[in-house]
Amino acid sequence: MKPNCSLAGAYSALLLGAVTVVRAQANPDPIGTIYDGPLPANLYGSNFTYPWPIRQFNFYNQRQNLSMAFMDVPSASDCGTDSKTAVLLHGGNFCGATWADTARNLSAAGFRVILPDDIGFCKSSKPQGYSYSVDQQAMNINSLLTALNITNPVTVMGHSMGGMIAARYGLMYPDTVHQLILVDPLGLEDWVAKGVPFLPIDQIYETQVVQTFDSLKAYEQATYFPNATWEPAYDVWVKMLADIYANDYGSEYAYVMALVTDALLSQPILYHLPMLKTRTYLMVGENDITALGKAWSSPTVAATLGHYDVIGPAAAAAIPNSTFYMFPGLGHAPFMQDPVAFHQVLFSWLD
Protein backbone atom coordinates (compact mmCIF):
# COMPACT_ATOMS: atom_id res chain seq x y z
CA MET A 1 0.00 0.00 0.00
CA LYS A 2 1.39 3.37 -1.01
CA PRO A 3 1.26 6.25 1.45
CA ASN A 4 -1.25 9.04 0.96
CA CYS A 5 0.57 11.38 -1.42
CA SER A 6 -0.44 14.66 0.19
CA LEU A 7 0.73 16.77 3.07
CA ALA A 8 -2.65 16.30 4.70
CA GLY A 9 -2.18 12.54 4.54
CA ALA A 10 1.36 12.78 5.85
CA TYR A 11 0.29 14.74 8.91
CA SER A 12 -2.92 12.80 9.61
CA ALA A 13 -3.62 11.54 13.11
CA LEU A 14 -2.53 8.10 14.27
CA LEU A 15 -4.99 5.27 13.87
CA LEU A 16 -5.77 4.00 17.36
CA GLY A 17 -7.71 0.97 18.44
CA ALA A 18 -7.93 -1.84 20.96
CA VAL A 19 -6.73 -4.54 18.61
CA THR A 20 -3.97 -7.03 19.13
CA VAL A 21 -0.73 -6.32 17.28
CA VAL A 22 -0.62 -8.35 14.07
CA ARG A 23 2.26 -10.82 14.01
CA ALA A 24 3.92 -12.90 11.31
CA GLN A 25 2.15 -16.15 10.44
CA ALA A 26 3.26 -19.66 11.40
CA ASN A 27 4.56 -20.09 7.85
CA PRO A 28 6.17 -16.68 7.51
CA ASP A 29 6.74 -14.82 4.30
CA PRO A 30 10.48 -15.04 3.51
CA ILE A 31 10.65 -11.24 3.56
CA GLY A 32 7.78 -10.21 5.80
CA THR A 33 4.51 -8.34 5.49
CA ILE A 34 3.40 -4.74 5.90
CA TYR A 35 0.48 -4.05 8.23
CA ASP A 36 -1.47 -0.78 7.87
CA GLY A 37 -4.38 -1.43 10.22
CA PRO A 38 -5.32 0.18 13.53
CA LEU A 39 -2.91 -0.07 16.44
CA PRO A 40 -3.16 0.47 20.20
CA ALA A 41 -1.98 3.79 21.59
CA ASN A 42 0.49 1.98 23.86
CA LEU A 43 2.57 -0.06 21.44
CA TYR A 44 5.27 -2.28 22.97
CA GLY A 45 5.49 0.06 25.94
CA SER A 46 5.61 3.34 24.00
CA ASN A 47 2.63 5.69 24.25
CA PHE A 48 4.40 8.61 22.57
CA THR A 49 2.34 10.23 19.81
CA TYR A 50 4.23 10.05 16.53
CA PRO A 51 3.87 12.81 13.92
CA TRP A 52 2.77 10.43 11.12
CA PRO A 53 0.74 7.21 11.06
CA ILE A 54 2.56 4.12 12.26
CA ARG A 55 2.92 1.16 9.94
CA GLN A 56 4.32 -2.24 10.93
CA PHE A 57 6.74 -4.57 9.22
CA ASN A 58 6.00 -8.05 10.58
CA PHE A 59 8.62 -10.69 9.93
CA TYR A 60 10.19 -13.88 11.24
CA ASN A 61 13.79 -13.68 12.45
CA GLN A 62 15.98 -15.61 14.89
CA ARG A 63 13.16 -18.13 15.43
CA GLN A 64 10.60 -15.59 16.54
CA ASN A 65 7.86 -13.32 15.20
CA LEU A 66 8.88 -9.66 15.26
CA SER A 67 7.22 -6.35 14.48
CA MET A 68 9.12 -3.25 13.39
CA ALA A 69 7.21 0.03 13.65
CA PHE A 70 7.96 2.69 11.06
CA MET A 71 6.63 5.89 9.54
CA ASP A 72 6.45 6.34 5.79
CA VAL A 73 6.46 10.03 4.89
CA PRO A 74 5.63 10.77 1.25
CA SER A 75 7.47 13.31 -0.82
CA ALA A 76 5.69 16.65 -0.83
CA SER A 77 6.85 17.52 -4.33
CA ASP A 78 7.38 14.29 -6.25
CA CYS A 79 4.17 12.32 -5.85
CA GLY A 80 3.91 9.06 -7.68
CA THR A 81 7.62 8.16 -7.75
CA ASP A 82 10.13 6.68 -5.36
CA SER A 83 13.14 8.02 -7.22
CA LYS A 84 14.42 9.71 -4.05
CA THR A 85 14.06 7.83 -0.79
CA ALA A 86 15.79 8.59 2.51
CA VAL A 87 16.01 6.15 5.43
CA LEU A 88 16.69 7.78 8.80
CA LEU A 89 18.08 5.58 11.60
CA HIS A 90 17.74 6.71 15.20
CA GLY A 91 20.24 6.54 18.05
CA GLY A 92 20.08 4.29 21.11
CA ASN A 93 18.42 6.91 23.33
CA PHE A 94 16.09 8.09 20.59
CA CYS A 95 13.23 6.85 18.38
CA GLY A 96 12.25 7.34 14.76
CA ALA A 97 10.10 10.29 15.82
CA THR A 98 13.19 12.21 16.91
CA TRP A 99 13.98 12.73 13.22
CA ALA A 100 10.63 14.48 12.60
CA ASP A 101 12.04 17.93 11.77
CA THR A 102 14.62 16.49 9.37
CA ALA A 103 11.97 14.27 7.77
CA ARG A 104 9.76 17.28 7.07
CA ASN A 105 12.65 19.08 5.42
CA LEU A 106 13.56 16.05 3.31
CA SER A 107 9.94 15.54 2.29
CA ALA A 108 9.71 19.17 1.18
CA ALA A 109 12.88 18.59 -0.87
CA GLY A 110 11.29 15.71 -2.76
CA PHE A 111 12.30 12.69 -0.67
CA ARG A 112 10.10 9.86 0.47
CA VAL A 113 11.29 9.31 4.05
CA ILE A 114 11.26 6.01 5.96
CA LEU A 115 11.58 6.34 9.75
CA PRO A 116 11.91 2.93 11.45
CA ASP A 117 12.11 2.08 15.13
CA ASP A 118 14.82 -0.57 15.34
CA ILE A 119 13.86 -3.95 16.74
CA GLY A 120 14.12 -3.65 20.53
CA PHE A 121 13.35 0.06 20.59
CA CYS A 122 10.38 2.37 21.05
CA LYS A 123 7.26 1.01 19.29
CA SER A 124 8.91 -2.15 17.94
CA SER A 125 9.15 -5.66 19.40
CA LYS A 126 11.52 -6.08 22.33
CA PRO A 127 12.71 -9.70 22.13
CA GLN A 128 14.80 -10.80 25.09
CA GLY A 129 16.64 -13.66 23.43
CA TYR A 130 17.95 -11.81 20.40
CA SER A 131 21.29 -10.95 18.84
CA TYR A 132 21.29 -7.16 18.56
CA SER A 133 24.35 -7.02 16.34
CA VAL A 134 24.85 -4.07 14.03
CA ASP A 135 24.77 -6.49 11.11
CA GLN A 136 21.40 -7.89 12.17
CA GLN A 137 19.84 -4.44 12.53
CA ALA A 138 21.15 -3.50 9.07
CA MET A 139 19.64 -6.69 7.65
CA ASN A 140 16.30 -5.84 9.27
CA ILE A 141 16.30 -2.43 7.58
CA ASN A 142 17.12 -4.02 4.23
CA SER A 143 14.24 -6.47 4.68
CA LEU A 144 11.90 -3.57 5.43
CA LEU A 145 12.90 -1.74 2.24
CA THR A 146 12.49 -4.95 0.25
CA ALA A 147 8.99 -5.46 1.67
CA LEU A 148 8.16 -1.87 0.67
CA ASN A 149 9.35 -2.62 -2.90
CA ILE A 150 11.89 0.20 -2.78
CA THR A 151 14.31 -0.73 -5.54
CA ASN A 152 16.16 2.49 -6.35
CA PRO A 153 19.33 3.31 -4.35
CA VAL A 154 18.46 5.18 -1.16
CA THR A 155 19.99 7.87 0.99
CA VAL A 156 20.77 6.37 4.41
CA MET A 157 21.31 8.68 7.38
CA GLY A 158 22.05 7.46 10.88
CA HIS A 159 22.74 9.14 14.20
CA SER A 160 24.79 7.69 17.09
CA MET A 161 23.95 3.96 17.20
CA GLY A 162 22.02 4.53 13.98
CA GLY A 163 25.25 5.84 12.47
CA MET A 164 26.93 2.51 13.22
CA ILE A 165 24.02 0.68 11.60
CA ALA A 166 24.07 3.03 8.60
CA ALA A 167 27.78 2.46 8.05
CA ARG A 168 27.33 -1.29 8.29
CA TYR A 169 24.40 -1.02 5.86
CA GLY A 170 26.67 0.79 3.40
CA LEU A 171 29.23 -1.99 3.69
CA MET A 172 26.69 -4.81 3.33
CA TYR A 173 24.51 -3.32 0.57
CA PRO A 174 26.70 -0.82 -1.34
CA ASP A 175 24.74 -1.16 -4.58
CA THR A 176 21.50 -0.14 -2.87
CA VAL A 177 22.90 3.05 -1.28
CA HIS A 178 23.04 6.29 -3.20
CA GLN A 179 24.66 8.30 -0.41
CA LEU A 180 25.47 7.80 3.26
CA ILE A 181 25.22 10.37 6.06
CA LEU A 182 26.73 9.58 9.46
CA VAL A 183 25.80 12.00 12.25
CA ASP A 184 27.99 11.62 15.36
CA PRO A 185 28.09 7.84 14.86
CA LEU A 186 29.25 5.55 17.60
CA GLY A 187 32.12 3.20 16.84
CA LEU A 188 34.66 5.71 15.52
CA GLU A 189 36.96 4.43 18.27
CA ASP A 190 37.58 0.99 19.75
CA TRP A 191 36.39 1.40 23.34
CA VAL A 192 37.61 -2.01 24.48
CA ALA A 193 41.06 -1.52 22.94
CA LYS A 194 41.28 1.79 24.80
CA GLY A 195 40.68 0.03 28.11
CA VAL A 196 36.93 -0.16 28.73
CA PRO A 197 36.54 -3.24 30.94
CA PHE A 198 34.01 -5.99 30.34
CA LEU A 199 30.78 -5.57 32.28
CA PRO A 200 28.37 -8.53 32.43
CA ILE A 201 25.02 -8.02 30.75
CA ASP A 202 23.21 -8.54 34.05
CA GLN A 203 25.14 -5.66 35.58
CA ILE A 204 24.45 -3.38 32.60
CA TYR A 205 20.77 -4.29 33.00
CA GLU A 206 20.85 -3.19 36.65
CA THR A 207 22.10 0.24 35.58
CA GLN A 208 19.30 0.53 33.01
CA VAL A 209 16.26 -0.76 34.87
CA VAL A 210 16.49 2.11 37.40
CA GLN A 211 16.49 4.84 34.74
CA THR A 212 14.12 7.76 35.31
CA PHE A 213 13.39 11.06 33.61
CA ASP A 214 15.86 12.81 35.93
CA SER A 215 18.70 10.30 35.42
CA LEU A 216 18.24 10.24 31.64
CA LYS A 217 18.15 14.03 31.48
CA ALA A 218 21.28 14.32 33.61
CA TYR A 219 23.14 11.88 31.34
CA GLU A 220 22.07 13.59 28.12
CA GLN A 221 22.78 17.06 29.48
CA ALA A 222 26.30 16.08 30.56
CA THR A 223 27.18 13.95 27.54
CA TYR A 224 25.13 15.16 24.58
CA PHE A 225 25.09 18.89 25.36
CA PRO A 226 28.22 19.61 27.43
CA ASN A 227 28.86 23.28 28.20
CA ALA A 228 25.51 24.17 26.58
CA THR A 229 22.18 25.45 27.83
CA TRP A 230 19.55 22.77 28.21
CA GLU A 231 16.51 23.77 26.18
CA PRO A 232 12.99 22.89 27.41
CA ALA A 233 12.28 21.37 23.97
CA TYR A 234 14.75 18.58 24.77
CA ASP A 235 12.51 17.42 27.64
CA VAL A 236 10.04 15.98 25.12
CA TRP A 237 12.60 13.46 23.90
CA VAL A 238 13.74 12.55 27.41
CA LYS A 239 10.13 11.92 28.44
CA MET A 240 9.58 9.81 25.32
CA LEU A 241 12.34 7.50 26.55
CA ALA A 242 11.57 7.70 30.28
CA ASP A 243 7.95 6.68 29.69
CA ILE A 244 9.09 3.43 28.07
CA TYR A 245 11.16 2.57 31.13
CA ALA A 246 8.18 3.39 33.37
CA ASN A 247 5.67 1.49 31.22
CA ASP A 248 4.71 -2.18 31.14
CA TYR A 249 7.71 -3.06 28.92
CA GLY A 250 10.21 -1.23 31.15
CA SER A 251 12.12 -4.28 32.32
CA GLU A 252 12.24 -5.76 28.83
CA TYR A 253 13.46 -2.46 27.42
CA ALA A 254 16.19 -2.20 30.06
CA TYR A 255 17.40 -5.68 29.15
CA VAL A 256 17.37 -4.81 25.45
CA MET A 257 19.55 -1.79 26.22
CA ALA A 258 21.97 -4.08 28.07
CA LEU A 259 22.11 -6.51 25.14
CA VAL A 260 22.58 -3.66 22.66
CA THR A 261 25.38 -2.09 24.70
CA ASP A 262 27.18 -5.43 24.92
CA ALA A 263 26.82 -5.96 21.14
CA LEU A 264 27.97 -2.47 20.17
CA LEU A 265 31.06 -2.61 22.37
CA SER A 266 32.38 -5.51 20.29
CA GLN A 267 31.57 -4.03 16.88
CA PRO A 268 33.28 -0.66 16.36
CA ILE A 269 33.08 0.48 12.74
CA LEU A 270 36.48 2.16 12.94
CA TYR A 271 38.34 -0.67 11.21
CA HIS A 272 35.85 -1.00 8.36
CA LEU A 273 35.63 2.64 7.30
CA PRO A 274 38.31 2.27 4.55
CA MET A 275 36.08 -0.33 2.87
CA LEU A 276 33.14 2.05 2.39
CA LYS A 277 32.57 2.62 -1.33
CA THR A 278 29.56 4.90 -1.02
CA ARG A 279 29.67 8.68 -1.16
CA THR A 280 29.70 9.54 2.55
CA TYR A 281 29.13 12.65 4.64
CA LEU A 282 30.43 12.47 8.22
CA MET A 283 29.07 15.17 10.53
CA VAL A 284 30.02 15.55 14.20
CA GLY A 285 29.58 18.03 17.00
CA GLU A 286 32.84 19.61 18.16
CA ASN A 287 31.88 19.16 21.83
CA ASP A 288 30.57 15.60 21.58
CA ILE A 289 32.06 13.40 24.31
CA THR A 290 29.84 10.32 23.96
CA ALA A 291 31.46 6.91 24.51
CA LEU A 292 30.17 3.49 25.47
CA GLY A 293 31.56 2.13 28.73
CA LYS A 294 32.85 5.46 29.96
CA ALA A 295 30.60 5.24 33.03
CA TRP A 296 32.27 2.07 34.35
CA SER A 297 35.82 2.80 33.20
CA SER A 298 38.64 4.16 35.34
CA PRO A 299 39.10 7.94 35.29
CA THR A 300 42.30 7.46 33.29
CA VAL A 301 40.54 5.44 30.58
CA ALA A 302 37.41 7.62 30.60
CA ALA A 303 39.54 10.68 29.90
CA THR A 304 40.68 9.15 26.59
CA LEU A 305 37.18 8.38 25.29
CA GLY A 306 34.67 10.25 23.19
CA HIS A 307 36.69 13.15 21.80
CA TYR A 308 34.80 13.64 18.54
CA ASP A 309 36.87 16.68 17.65
CA VAL A 310 39.76 14.22 17.27
CA ILE A 311 38.17 10.91 16.22
CA GLY A 312 35.81 12.62 13.74
CA PRO A 313 38.49 14.04 11.42
CA ALA A 314 40.52 10.83 11.71
CA ALA A 315 37.52 8.72 10.71
CA ALA A 316 36.73 10.98 7.74
CA ALA A 317 40.31 10.64 6.53
CA ALA A 318 39.87 6.85 6.49
CA ILE A 319 36.74 6.91 4.29
CA PRO A 320 37.74 6.99 0.59
CA ASN A 321 34.89 9.13 -0.79
CA SER A 322 33.94 11.31 2.14
CA THR A 323 33.15 14.86 3.13
CA PHE A 324 33.56 15.98 6.73
CA TYR A 325 31.92 18.74 8.73
CA MET A 326 32.31 19.60 12.41
CA PHE A 327 29.64 21.78 14.03
CA PRO A 328 31.40 24.38 16.19
CA GLY A 329 30.27 24.28 19.80
CA LEU A 330 27.64 21.56 19.31
CA GLY A 331 27.39 18.17 20.99
CA HIS A 332 26.14 14.70 20.20
CA ALA A 333 22.81 15.68 18.61
CA PRO A 334 23.37 18.71 16.33
CA PHE A 335 20.01 18.21 14.59
CA MET A 336 18.35 18.84 17.97
CA GLN A 337 20.70 21.45 19.35
CA ASP A 338 20.79 23.70 16.27
CA PRO A 339 18.38 22.35 13.62
CA VAL A 340 18.75 25.40 11.38
CA ALA A 341 22.53 25.02 11.14
CA PHE A 342 22.22 21.24 10.79
CA HIS A 343 19.82 21.40 7.87
CA GLN A 344 21.78 24.13 6.12
CA VAL A 345 24.86 21.91 6.20
CA LEU A 346 22.93 18.78 5.27
CA PHE A 347 21.19 20.27 2.24
CA SER A 348 24.33 21.97 1.00
CA TRP A 349 25.76 18.46 0.50
CA LEU A 350 22.74 16.46 -0.65
CA ASP A 351 22.52 16.20 -4.41
Side-chain angles (χ1 to χ4, degrees), residues 10 24 160 254 267 341:
S160 193
Q267 289 191 297

Side-chain angles (χ1 to χ4, degrees), residues 88-341:
L88 276 51
L89 307 180
H90 64 81
N93 283 330
F94 301 90
C95 301
T98 318
W99 278 120
D101 194 24
T102 301
R104 291 187 183 99
N105 280 274
L106 286 167
S107 173
F111 285 86
R112 176 185 179 182
V113 186
I114 309 299
L115 300 161
D117 283 348
D118 282 324
I119 290 298
F121 292 84
C122 307
K123 294 184 182 291
S124 292
S125 299
K126 297 172 176 58
Q128 302 295 280
Y130 194 73
S131 172
Y132 286 95
S133 69
V134 179
D135 305 74
Q136 181 62 70
Q137 295 284 26
M139 292 176 70
N140 293 345
I141 299 300
N142 183 254
S143 295
L144 168 63
L145 298 184
T146 301
L148 289 172
N149 295 315
I150 295 175
T151 57
N152 291 320
V154 298
T155 294
V156 181
M157 178 159 61
H159 166 243
S160 193
M161 176 194 74
M164 287 186 72
I165 298 171
R168 178 57 60 184
Y169 193 97
L171 290 166
M172 295 171 69
Y173 308 103
D175 294 337
T176 71
V177 180
H178 174 55
Q179 49 197 352
L180 191 63
I181 304 152
L182 310 178
V183 184
D184 291 85
L186 296 180
L188 299 185
E189 59 186 335
D190 189 332
W191 306 286
V192 175
K194 286 187 172 183
V196 171
F198 174 76
L199 192 68
I201 289 174
D202 288 339
Q203 291 187 36
I204 302 176
Y205 166 77
E206 293 299 331
T207 68
Q208 294 297 314
V209 76
V210 295
Q211 294 281 20
T212 64
F213 177 91
D214 289 338
S215 65
L216 291 166
K217 179 176 179 178
Y219 167 76
E220 293 189 15
Q221 187 169 13
T223 305
Y224 294 173
F225 308 105
N227 305 316
T229 301
W230 180 269
E231 299 293 337
Y234 305 158
D235 287 342
V236 174
W237 308 118
V238 178
K239 188 176 188 301
M240 175 183 67
L241 189 63
D243 285 351
I244 302 175
Y245 281 104
N247 215 317
D248 49 356
Y249 277 79
S251 179
E252 288 88 344
Y253 189 56
Y255 193 65
V256 166
M257 294 297 284
L259 293 174
V260 168
T261 300
D262 182 71
L264 296 184
L265 278 167
S266 65
Q267 289 191 297
I269 60 172
L270 169 68
Y271 306 114
H272 307 285
L273 295 177
M275 293 184 286
L276 277 173
K277 300 178 181 179
T278 308
R279 177 176 183 255
T280 303
Y281 200 6
L282 175 59
M283 312 159 73
V284 305
E286 178 186 27
N287 292 346
D288 190 359
I289 55 172
T290 305
L292 290 185
K294 183 187 291 188
W296 66 80
S297 297
S298 69
T300 301
V301 170
T304 69
L305 303 175
H307 297 286
Y308 273 75
D309 57 334
V310 176
I311 63 177
I319 302 172
N321 184 15
S322 70
T323 302
F324 177 72
Y325 187 85
M326 184 154 55
F327 291 96
L330 299 189
H332 188 59
F335 62 95
M336 292 171 54
Q337 193 172 1
D338 192 342
V340 173

Side-chain angles (χ1 to χ4, degrees), residues 18-151:
V19 300
T20 302
V21 175
V22 173
R23 300 298 186 96
Q25 301 301 313
N27 296 314
D29 184 283
I31 297 172
T33 58
I34 302 297
Y35 174 69
D36 285 309
L39 294 167
N42 187 350
L43 188 59
Y44 290 110
S46 171
N47 55 19
F48 189 81
T49 301
Y50 279 22
W52 295 282
I54 302 166
R55 308 176 74 190
Q56 284 186 314
F57 172 49
N58 298 308
F59 62 109
Y60 187 79
N61 182 247
Q62 294 187 26
R63 299 175 59 84
Q64 51 198 313
N65 296 310
L66 302 175
S67 179
M68 178 188 291
F70 69 98
M71 291 172 284
D72 190 344
V73 185
S75 162
S77 60
D78 195 21
C79 288
T81 75
D82 294 331
S83 58
K84 291 168 60 175
T85 301
V87 183
L88 276 51
L89 307 180
H90 64 81
N93 283 330
F94 301 90
C95 301
T98 318
W99 278 120
D101 194 24
T102 301
R104 291 187 183 99
N105 280 274
L106 286 167
S107 173
F111 285 86
R112 176 185 179 182
V113 186
I114 309 299
L115 300 161
D117 283 348
D118 282 324
I119 290 298
F121 292 84
C122 307
K123 294 184 182 291
S124 292
S125 299
K126 297 172 176 58
Q128 302 295 280
Y130 194 73
S131 172
Y132 286 95
S133 69
V134 179
D135 305 74
Q136 181 62 70
Q137 295 284 26
M139 292 176 70
N140 293 345
I141 299 300
N142 183 254
S143 295
L144 168 63
L145 298 184
T146 301
L148 289 172
N149 295 315
I150 295 175
T151 57

